[in-house]
Each structure stands twice: as structure tokens, then as C-alpha cells.
Amino acid sequence: MAAGIVGFVFFFPLAIMVIGSLRKPGLPPPGGLELLPDVLWSGNYETAAGLIQLGQQLLNSVLIVSTAVPATVLVASWAGFAIVMARPAVRRLLIGLALVVLSMPASAMWVPRKVMLEQLGLTDHTLVVALPAIMGTTPFYVLLFALAYHRIPRSLYEVAAIEQASVFRIWRSVAFPLARPTMFAVAALAFASYWGNFIDPLILLTAEDDWPLALGLRSLSALEPTLHPLYMAAAVMATAPAALVFLVAQRTLARRDLET
């Protein structure tokens, strides 16, 4: 029952978005909840794609996530493993620092990050949005990996160490394969974060050719209310890849749970 309610809460806005994208533009907004428009109009998708540089912006978004997601998974997994392998006092210090950084508002870093990147000459390029990936994106992902590695029996690490395996080999051969469900979860979360990232491109990118799809939708958000079906159609096209990734990740995790 509870799962059904939670699923409905998350599904309802998506359903409203899809229904809105099928409404013919130019009509007055519905006075109440509209289950389906009187006339289903699929031409909004083609029109919306023509109003923005859909192909270029979609390519930019794919470039960002294909760079940032693997980097986020690798760096966060390395940092999480370093926390687990550290001495107890150092481990507590690192976890404390991660929690402090995690508690800081993201908005506090917007201006310093822009100033620093401008001084380095790294702004106005699509991939600048993916730079946080080299720091694991967020301490939350690092702590997720640290928790996953902590649950692995310590004896497995000790056996590998007795066989004179390096720390990197222990991570590659023992820790990372056993933490694969966490890898899928972090990859899905990072994908959604970078795919829908709006603030960083808005601050760091000025050329429209460098914009990702999330920022491209901004140009449609100022449409008149009667033309909002076009905005809804563009939002559906931008949301579909992230929804697909989450479905694939969910099915993969469910399959692994059944196998174990």
C-alpha cells in the first residue's frame, strides 16, 4: 500500500507532463484536472524540437553524462575505499569532513567555482560542467561506497593483503566487484544529477551551442500559457532518458537481488 502511494506521488507529475504535451497549443489552459485532452496533438514534439537546438543540446548532455558519470563512480569508489582502509582515527576524521562538506549548501560554491574556473580559462566549454566529477561530485556518493565496502568481511581484504596484493588490486579484484549494486545506484543518481543540471551550465556557459538540454528548456519556459504544451513536450523529451536509466538500474538491482 505504502509503495503504491509513493509510486503514485512520483508518477503523477510525469503523467501530467505527458498529458500536457499532447494538448493542442493555442487553446486556453484547462480549468481543472484534465485526464486527456479532447484532441490528442503529437505535433508539439516536432515544433518544440525546432524552437531549440535539440540535436546539439542533446549531444552536449550526452557528452557531459558520458564523461561525468564514469568519473564520478571511479573517484567516489576510490575515496570510499580509502576511508574504509584508513586507520580508525583517520577514518572518523574523513567521515566527519565528508559530513561537514555535505552539510554545506551548494549555492555557497557557485561564485567561488565560477571565479576559479575563469582564472584558469576553463569556462565556456561544455565539459566544464563535468568538472565536479573529479572530486566524486558529492560526499554522499563517497559515503555510499564507504558503507558498501565496510559491509564486506574484513577477512577478504586481509587475505588479499597476505598475498601481497596492492591496495589498488584489492579494490579492483575484491571490493569494487562486491559493491556493484552501489555502483549502479551511484551511476543512476549521478546521471540524473548531471542530466538535469541547470545551475552550473547557466553560470559557466554563455554560448548557446554549448548548452545542455536542461538549459535549453529555459528558452521555452517563457512561452505564453497557451503555448505551454510545447514546453511540456520538450520537458518529456528531456526527462525520458533519465527515466529510462532509472528503470534499467532498478531492473538490474532487482535481478541481482533475486540472484543472491
Side-chain angles (χ1 to χ4, degrees):
M1 181 65 179
I5 294 175
V6 173
F8 176 79
V9 169
F10 281 95
F11 175 76
F12 185 72
L14 297 177
I16 294 298
M17 182 173 61
V18 174
I19 292 172
S21 71
L22 298 175
R23 183 179 176 83
K24 191 171 183 179
L27 298 177
L33 181 62
E34 185 179 43
L35 297 180
L36 279 177
D38 295 333
V39 178
L40 297 179
W41 186 261
S42 61
N44 293 325
Y45 290 88
E46 183 178 355
T47 304
L51 291 176
I52 60 177
Q53 300 182 28
L54 179 65
Q56 182 62 46
Q57 293 172 2
L58 181 61
L59 181 62
N60 292 338
S61 293
V62 171
L63 179 62
I64 291 172
V65 298
S66 62
T67 302
V69 172
T72 295
V73 171
L74 286 177
V75 175
S77 65
W78 291 339
F81 188 64
I83 290 176
V84 172
M85 297 299 290
R87 291 177 297 178
V90 177
R91 186 185 311 141
R92 288 191 294 269
L93 175 62
L94 293 175
I95 293 175
L97 290 175
L99 292 175
V100 169
V101 174
L102 188 61
S103 65
M104 295 175 58
S107 57
M109 300 300 298
W110 291 344
V111 174
R113 183 184 302 168
K114 179 177 176 59
V115 172
M116 180 184 68
L117 293 176
E118 282 182 343
Q119 294 294 326
L120 296 174
L122 296 177
T123 55
D124 291 330
H125 190 283
T126 302
L127 283 180
V128 72
V129 181
L131 283 179
I134 65 176
M135 296 179 290
T137 303
T138 170
F140 177 66
Y141 300 155
V142 175
L143 294 177
L144 282 180
F145 271 109
L147 179 61
Y149 294 146
H150 180 71
R151 290 178 175 176
I152 298 174
R154 193 78 180 183
S155 58
L156 295 180
Y157 300 147
E158 294 173 351
V159 168
I162 290 174
E163 295 180 355
Q164 297 183 348
S166 63
V167 175
F168 178 78
R169 185 177 177 184
I170 296 174
W171 167 81
R172 184 190 63 186
S173 302
V174 179
F176 192 62
L178 294 178
R180 192 158 296 175
T182 301
M183 182 267 289
F184 283 115
V186 170
L189 291 173
F191 181 95
S193 175
Y194 281 101
W195 187 266
N197 191 355
F198 171 79
I199 294 297
D200 286 338
L202 180 64
I203 295 174
L204 300 174
L205 303 176
T206 57
E208 188 173 354
D209 291 341
D210 296 329
W211 288 359
L213 188 55
L215 186 55
L217 294 180
R218 176 172 174 258
S219 60
L220 298 180
S221 62
L223 292 174
E224 297 180 1
T226 57
L227 297 179
H228 269 198
L230 301 177
Y231 180 66
M232 291 293 187
V236 170
M237 290 187 287
T239 305
L244 180 62
V245 167
F246 265 95
L247 287 176
V248 171
Q250 187 272 336
R251 289 178 63 87
T252 302
L253 292 175
R255 189 183 302 115
R256 290 187 63 85
D257 288 340
L258 291 175
E259 291 175 355
T260 56

